[in-house]
Amino acid sequence: MSMPHAVPATSGPLLTIENLSKRFGPLMVLDDVSLTVAEREVIAIIGPSGSGKSTLLRCVNRLEEPASGRVMLGDVEVTARGAKLNAIRRDIGLVFQNFNLYPHLKARDNVSLALRKVIGLSREAARLQAEAALTAVGLEMKFDAYPGELSGGQQQRVGIARAMALNPRLMMFDEPTSALDPELVAGVLGVIKDMKARGMTMLVVTHEMGFAREVADRVIFMDRGKIVEQGHPSRIFGQPESPRLREFLASVLGR
Amino acid sequence: MQEFAHYFFNMPVMMLALPQLLQGLLVTVQMGVLVVVLGIGLGLLLAVVRSFRFAPVNVLIVIFVDVFRAIPALVVLMLIYFALPSVGVTLPPFASAVVTLALVLAAFAEEIIWAGITAVDKGQWEAARSTGLGPLQTLFYVVLFQAIRMVIPPLTNRAIAVTKNTAIASAVSVQEMLNVASSQQAIYANPTPLTLAALLYLALFVPFTILSRLLERRYRWGR
Ligand SMILES: Nc1ncnc2c1ncn2[C@@H]1O[C@H](COP(=O)(O)OP(=O)(O)OP(=O)(O)O)[C@@H](O)[C@H]1O
Ligand SMILES: [Mg+2]
């Protein structure tokens, strides 16, 4: 079963971020950030704590209002006044560090809620689609489990299924494995790799350098609200140019 | 000891007073049910409206809440029963008492439910909004259930406290249980009917305290 996207396909880049800025009081959290993401591209965003990685993702679907700049999804301007945000957000999946599952709903209903209330599928069609999405992330045994009955890794996979069930154009992950016990990380990263294999365009904020190196087509290094350096993972990790990136890699990789 | 029994547990008086008291109990129960349904319903509605965060409306809601939490219910009842007719609104005693207590309960319920809504993790709103749900949908399908579950204990306590106040309706001569008991006491020149009323109040409200404990347990889930 495949649903139409809210935002039609285009030949150009899937996501265009132009001169995006965001401040919290005096603090410049995003400072004139521009970024273009091609269809099927997988981008890893790395950088020290507080550099604005989460804020960047949250400005893309306008959970956070940027102060200035533009965000385009295909030919649709997300930042336009009067943009149909609820329709656009269907097409931009977001996966949270701490899952944010609905604790009062079973796994199946966590996934099917938006299918019914946003897309307007019937109860039965939404159930089937939710179960398919949960099966795709390896949770075919857990349809009826409440979030509190699942491990962190399973909860995060429900979070991924909840976003994926809406058949988005773009998936964004904000440190999807940071809250997980080490032995559960691989399973969730495996799901993300599967999604890459199926051609999903993704922005992944991550502290897993091995994953960024292996899976990303491009690595973005952010510091103090700016994109300081970007490039192919082998270049970013092999020949970092800016001192700040070198410093950052030295601290996270312990070299 | 015998004297004590004669005045407070006088069996013949009890038997004589019981039928009337049960009539009074019925009136008390009717008032209680109406007060709880209307009061919590209105409180919930106000809390939902408040979550639109439309400043002028919210100021009015906060004023309503503070006023009805501050004024004693009996004073509100006097105002509604004795003062409203002078502006052309006349309510019978029973309705006056129900409206009074419903407004008081609504004020407390709004405050309690609103506190529950604001206590729900911000991430719940963000997750729901990120899938395209609108603010009202998010409130109804995601937030409200969690908010109410959190506030069931204080809400039940408050509902019991306000509903017990149905006794103030005797001040405008509604034939509820306390009123019946005190006139029976005068008739028999013996306070036993009041003892009986106390026992009936106990029988009426203890089940609710137990129910509230059960509800608390029922709405708990693993985290
Ligand atoms: N709602 C907010 N109000 C005020 N300041 C905020 C808010 N959200 C984020 N910030 C600040 O903005 C800066 C960037 O935050 P952001 O969460 O985007 O960083 P990050 O790169 O995701 O960091 P981390 O790796 O720790 O998640 C931080 O200094 C943070 O304190
Ligand atoms: Mg972050």
Side-chain angles (χ1 to χ4, degrees):
Chain A
M1 202 181 331
S2 97
M3 283 179 300
H5 299 293
V7 174
T10 41
S11 49
L14 180 68
L15 179 71
T16 312
I17 297 171
E18 287 172 1
N19 310 106
L20 202 66
S21 293
K22 170 74 184 174
R23 46 169 70 244
F24 287 114
L27 186 69
M28 204 66 173
V29 179
L30 291 179
D31 187 359
D32 200 28
V33 172
S34 296
L35 174 68
T36 324
V37 182
E39 199 114 30
R40 294 173 169 269
E41 196 175 10
V42 175
I43 292 186
I45 303 174
I46 62 173
S49 179
S51 56
K53 307 179 297 292
S54 300
T55 307
L56 178 63
L57 295 192
R58 295 156 59 80
C59 280
V60 167
N61 74 352
R62 280 177 66 186
L63 279 182
E64 219 65 83
E65 276 308 323
S68 60
R70 287 214 306 172
V71 174
M72 307 276 300
L73 186 68
D75 292 333
V76 174
E77 186 181 345
V78 182
T79 42
R81 263 174 175 282
K84 293 199 166 29
L85 265 191
N86 291 340
I88 293 171
R89 282 176 176 158
R90 274 173 48 184
D91 275 358
I92 307 176
L94 178 56
V95 172
F96 300 84
Q97 176 173 352
N98 52 357
F99 329 134
N100 289 338
L101 296 186
Y102 314 132
H104 60 301
L105 298 180
K106 293 174 175 180
R108 178 200 290 113
D109 300 322
N110 261 274
V111 179
S112 67
L113 181 64
L115 291 171
R116 293 181 55 204
K117 303 303 173 188
V118 180
I119 311 244
L121 294 187
S122 69
R123 185 182 287 271
E124 184 61 14
R127 185 179 67 79
L128 289 174
Q129 185 128 332
E131 289 177 356
L134 286 168
T135 304
V137 296
L139 291 178
E140 56 279 354
M141 306 299 285
K142 298 292 182 184
F143 295 159
D144 285 309
Y146 286 94
E149 301 165 347
L150 297 172
S151 74
Q154 291 168 333
Q155 290 189 51
Q156 190 56 296
R157 283 186 273 159
V158 175
I160 294 173
R162 176 171 67 184
M164 281 300 288
L166 294 162
N167 191 23
R169 303 283 301 275
L170 171 69
M171 280 290 290
M172 305 195 294
F173 298 82
D174 193 355
E175 300 191 28
T177 59
S178 294
L180 299 181
D181 292 337
E183 72 271 21
L184 301 174
V185 168
V188 169
L189 294 182
V191 168
I192 300 175
K193 285 183 209 164
D194 286 350
M195 290 164 65
K196 175 185 162 92
R198 281 181 273 140
M200 178 56 73
T201 313
M202 296 191 271
L203 294 181
V204 187
V205 173
T206 185
H207 288 310
E208 299 284 335
M209 295 304 143
F211 172 80
R213 174 176 237 150
E214 179 192 351
V215 177
D217 300 309
R218 183 160 40 129
V219 176
I220 306 265
F221 170 64
M222 284 186 73
D223 191 25
R224 292 178 224 167
K226 285 183 183 297
I227 295 179
V228 175
E229 196 168 333
Q230 56 177 305
H232 192 269
S234 61
R235 225 263 307 133
I236 291 289
F237 294 110
Q239 295 105 35
E241 281 165 8
S242 68
R244 279 195 265 166
L245 174 55
R246 272 189 235 139
E247 220 174 281
F248 172 74
L249 290 177
S251 69
V252 295
L253 300 174
R255 295 185 218 147
Chain B
M1 190 66 218
Q2 216 167 351
E3 199 146 305
F4 181 84
H6 172 76
Y7 281 115
F8 293 98
F9 292 97
N10 191 318
M11 264 307 169
V13 172
M14 235 181 229
M15 292 335 271
L16 285 168
L18 190 61
Q20 309 275 356
L21 273 177
L22 288 178
Q23 288 282 317
L25 177 69
L26 185 63
V27 175
T28 294
V29 168
Q30 286 170 338
M31 287 175 67
V33 169
L34 283 171
V35 166
V36 167
V37 170
L38 295 175
I40 292 186
L42 179 61
L44 180 62
L45 182 72
L46 290 174
V48 167
V49 170
R50 190 166 173 185
S51 71
F52 300 158
R53 293 175 196 274
F54 185 56
V57 175
N58 284 9
V59 169
L60 293 179
I61 292 176
V62 171
I63 290 174
F64 167 83
V65 167
D66 286 354
V67 164
F68 280 92
R69 288 201 309 176
I71 306 180
L74 186 56
V75 176
V76 178
L77 177 59
M78 293 295 144
L79 285 172
I80 287 180
Y81 189 66
F82 292 113
L84 276 191
S86 59
V87 293
V89 183
T90 309
L91 291 176
F94 182 86
S96 300
V98 167
V99 168
T100 297
L101 295 177
L103 288 174
V104 171
L105 180 55
F108 282 102
E110 191 283 333
E111 198 63 16
I112 291 169
I113 295 169
W114 174 248
I117 289 175
T118 56
V120 171
D121 183 32
K122 205 163 134 273
Q124 294 288 307
W125 287 92
E126 295 179 348
R129 297 306 304 276
S130 78
T131 61
L133 290 168
L136 257 191
Q137 289 177 315
T138 302
L139 184 65
F140 282 117
Y141 299 122
V142 176
V143 174
L144 214 45
F145 187 93
Q146 299 180 54
I148 290 176
R149 191 211 66 100
M150 257 188 278
V151 302
I152 277 179
L155 200 56
T156 329
N157 288 341
R158 184 52 68 177
I160 291 171
V162 173
T163 311
K164 274 196 301 204
N165 268 335
T166 47
I168 65 168
S170 58
V172 292
S173 51
V174 173
Q175 292 301 309
E176 49 67 59
M177 193 156 61
L178 179 63
N179 199 358
V180 172
S182 59
S183 44
Q184 299 279 305
Q185 175 218 219
I187 291 169
Y188 299 113
N190 183 302
T192 296
L194 288 172
T195 316
L196 191 54
L199 290 175
L200 288 173
Y201 274 117
L202 206 58
L204 187 59
F205 283 106
V206 162
F208 284 105
T209 59
I210 293 172
L211 181 72
S212 105
R213 292 231 172 77
L214 288 179
L215 280 177
E216 232 176 293
R217 214 164 294 159
R218 162 116 163 58
Y219 282 107
R220 196 177 295 155
W221 56 76
R223 246 232 122 134

